[in-house]
Amino acid sequence: MAADSEPESEVFEITDFTTASEWERFISKVEEVLNDWKLIGNSLGKPLEKGIFTSGTWEEKSDEISFADFKFSITHHYLVQDSTDKEGKDEILEDVIPQSMQDLLCMNNDFPPRAHCLVRWYGLREFVVIAPAANHDAVLSESKCNLLLSSVSIALGNTGCQVPLFVQIHHKWRRMYVGECQGHGVRTDFEMVHLRKVPNQYTHLSGLLDIFKSKIGCPLTPLPPVSIAIRFTYVLQDWQQYFWPQQPPDIDALVGGEVGGLEFGKLPFGACEDPISELHLATTWPHLTEGIIVDNDVYSDLDPIQAPHWSVRVRKAENPQCLLGDFVTEFFKICRRKESTDEILGRSTFEEEGREIADITHALSKLTEPAPVPIHKLSVSNMVHTAKKKIRKHRGVEESPLNNDVLNMILLFLFPDAASEKPLDGSSSTDNNNPISGSEDYNLYNQFKSAPSDSLTYKLALCLCMINFYHGGLKGVAHLWQEFVLEMRFRWENNFLIPGLASGPPDLRCCLLHQKLQMLNCCIERKKARDEGRKTNTSDMHPGDAGKAGDELGPDNLKDMDKEKGEVGKSWDSWSDSEEEFFECLSDTEELKGNGQESAKKGGPKEMTSLKPEGRLYQHGKLTLLHNGEPLYIPVTQEPAPMTEDLLEEQSEVLAKLGTSAEGAHLRARMQSACLLSDMESFKAANPGCFLEDFVRWYSPRDYIEEEVIDEKGNMVLKGELSARMKIPSNMWVEAWETAKPIPARRQRRLFDDTREAEKVLHYLAIQKPADLARHLLPCVIHAAVLKVKEEENLENISSVKKIIKQIITHSSKVLHFPNPEDKKLEEIIHQITNVEAIIARARSLKAKFGTEKCEQEEEKEDLERFVSCLLEQPEVLVVGAGRGHAGKIIHKLFVNAQRLTESSDEAAAMAPPEEELKRMGSPEERRQNSVSDFPPPAGRELILRTTVPRPAPYSRALPQRMYSVLTKEDFRLAGAFSSDTSFF
């Protein structure tokens, strides 16, 4: 081993200087990227239009390069423009300076309101930036800066790229760049100075001109004239309180005995604070030349009132507190709570009073006692009586989350029939503030899967929203929900219809909770009709006489009378509450008792003809029974059972589990044919002696095929027969017809057991946690918020808000149609609604500040409203007429008033209106003599100095030179672009 190691120790490393170094590889990568982006050669674009930097589209491309193990990002920023003629673009024009050098002198886009900082400082339409890839990385040492700048210079020279290339140095927050642009025989160096403290000699124009001239070092005398553009920015922060019109909500009005102010059923709107925090006035002198004005440390001609151009921008308050957004957000937070109502209220909410001491004798007496007499008058005290007794049993009344006044007021709002002498029907009452039924806004619930805006569910959602925000939070919500459920049971037990719900079966386009309430209303309707029918029947009427009564009554009366269709073999008189709750199907002998139907069971149609017809609704036109020629009567039938979407889903799951086997398919068909069997039995009872063909002619005419044939005598006659599917052996229709007995609808087993379904609904409502309730009602709250935003927007007429509202509706309709929408998507919708509310609040704030309503002349009012709308939608708005225009005078008054408040110690003078103060001070010249300034010191001073001089020698080409300066309270920056001739120096 020792022998082997000896020759290895003699090996020495050879450095090959022909291989590329890290620096050379970096330069090569930069060149490669520039070639890939096709930034080679000189491509002259058309001259820049005024304002194109703000109105045009900026795009960028990025790539990643590295210097050894230090990563950089290289980004190409450029203004998208129409492509010029390709032939001209491909030519290399040697005597033309690069496009970026020409842009240095362009005055059309000084001080753009929204642009990259290099665009603002140098006026460039295209440039490339190399910056450290990671935010925390920085190029700090001077040697590294020079190395990067050398790399840029070599890459530009090798590729012939004429696009300026910048390198970001120092920490990123300082926005320090150095760069270079090369053309044929010319070069521009981009340099920068950034200081925290400003030297006194550079706070005015004369000092900056000295810097500029010394930097140029022009050998010519006299020096060519320097073009100057100046902008001073003034900030107005001290708004008067009366300028903000939004009043804080009056919570006392909620319990003051009247429904006013923030009433239940209406959402609040507006920002609680001024959504406009600052107004920035930029006074600009765009075209000045040296010698025209004086601006030094002693005296200045730059009076903002005399500036030829004024432009204004507003700074919006970040996330202003908005009432509507807070309401919806706080309600949405309930969705994340896990507690049940029992846990929140600290007891078993729905246990009945006295349940602890109840024994079996109470249950037996309950079964034998007569039906309870309905309470003759519905009142708020009746509604909350039971609940209050229960609450007192477990805790003091003063501990209840909702006091009696608030609770009574809410219940009166939800159940307006409680205040009337006579209970109203279940039809919804119209409200002047609700959208008109059938309008686009009214039908919005179809898209949101919420509930109509005049429905009980919708009102309940708004009340819970209000309770959650103002009256006890989650405990208040749980308390109100408990009262609501008790009220539902009270109405079910006493046959009072629920107001604010459309009649008919549950509307599957609405939320599930609304469907459940509609289902409960259906149960109450049927129970009520059944009880009323029992009262109207005389005690001596026998079950068999019902057919006669049906014949004597008209179709409409019969519809009402037979609405509930009765139970099997029992008249309405013989029912009791216990039988409704514990219904059992009777035996065949009891079903057929007293009607001679046993013979029908044993015999055929001939025996059936001797039966007495029952349950006829009306005659079916000219149709007659095929075998005996009797008129065909349409029977009174049972209505199909109403279903909510969760019941439909359960039913479909049960049917799906039966599988695809023949037995499963047969069982599925039998389950689905309960309604068909009921209708067949009703048809047989109404039309004794009928056949399946007669039933099919009425029930499914397409399955009875008629065709003209010639009989034995040669006459053309109609001959009918059942369709092919009806002739299939053992099909469902034939089986059902054979098993169907002639029983009228009122004595059949109910297809819809209202007692059982009502108890299911009440149980469903009772077990809902506040979080579940909030999930059910959130679509209604979002629906209400969108309607509120639309209503407020109509008053302001802001075009951009209309578009956003349409986007919110589209987005919400997609999200809310899913059973369990994601929280993140719901938060996005709420955030969008809050943004719209803030925009409308900003519009109102600006209108109040500029006094658009006080304008007497219609033309001035229109101009001001247009100006305000532009302030909302554009980053910066030009003031027509500058300080002498109508808007300019108002802005001037705002600044004067703010200055007066800060400078004057006299409180009485501070309360005087700005117009009187201006009159008192006299003309601007007089005010200046009195040393009272209309404007505060400028928050920002920006200057651009330009000239064209030969550098570095008198015989060099005359090239553009530019220096930008910005001076703020905590910042001073000089950004210079100095061009020199590299051919003749």
Side-chain angles (χ1 to χ4, degrees), residues 41-105:
N42 185 14
S43 56
L44 291 177
K46 58 183 180 181
L48 291 170
E49 300 173 8
K50 193 170 184 65
I52 190 68
F53 283 172
T54 305
S55 60
T57 304
W58 286 87
E59 290 186 1
E60 60 181 62
K61 290 185 285 191
S62 291
D63 206 342
E64 196 172 89
I65 55 177
S66 57
F67 193 128
D69 56 349
F70 194 95
K71 291 184 178 179
F72 290 90
S73 66
I74 179 167
T75 309
H76 178 212
H77 301 263
Y78 58 97
L79 178 68
V80 178
Q81 290 181 292
D82 297 334
S83 57
T84 54
D85 186 17
K86 286 186 179 179
E87 294 181 3
K89 190 174 181 179
D90 292 340
E91 291 180 10
I92 297 176
L93 307 173
E94 294 189 3
D95 56 340
V96 177
I97 62 174
Q99 180 74 68
S100 58
M101 288 191 186
Q102 297 179 31
D103 289 344
L104 294 175
L105 297 177

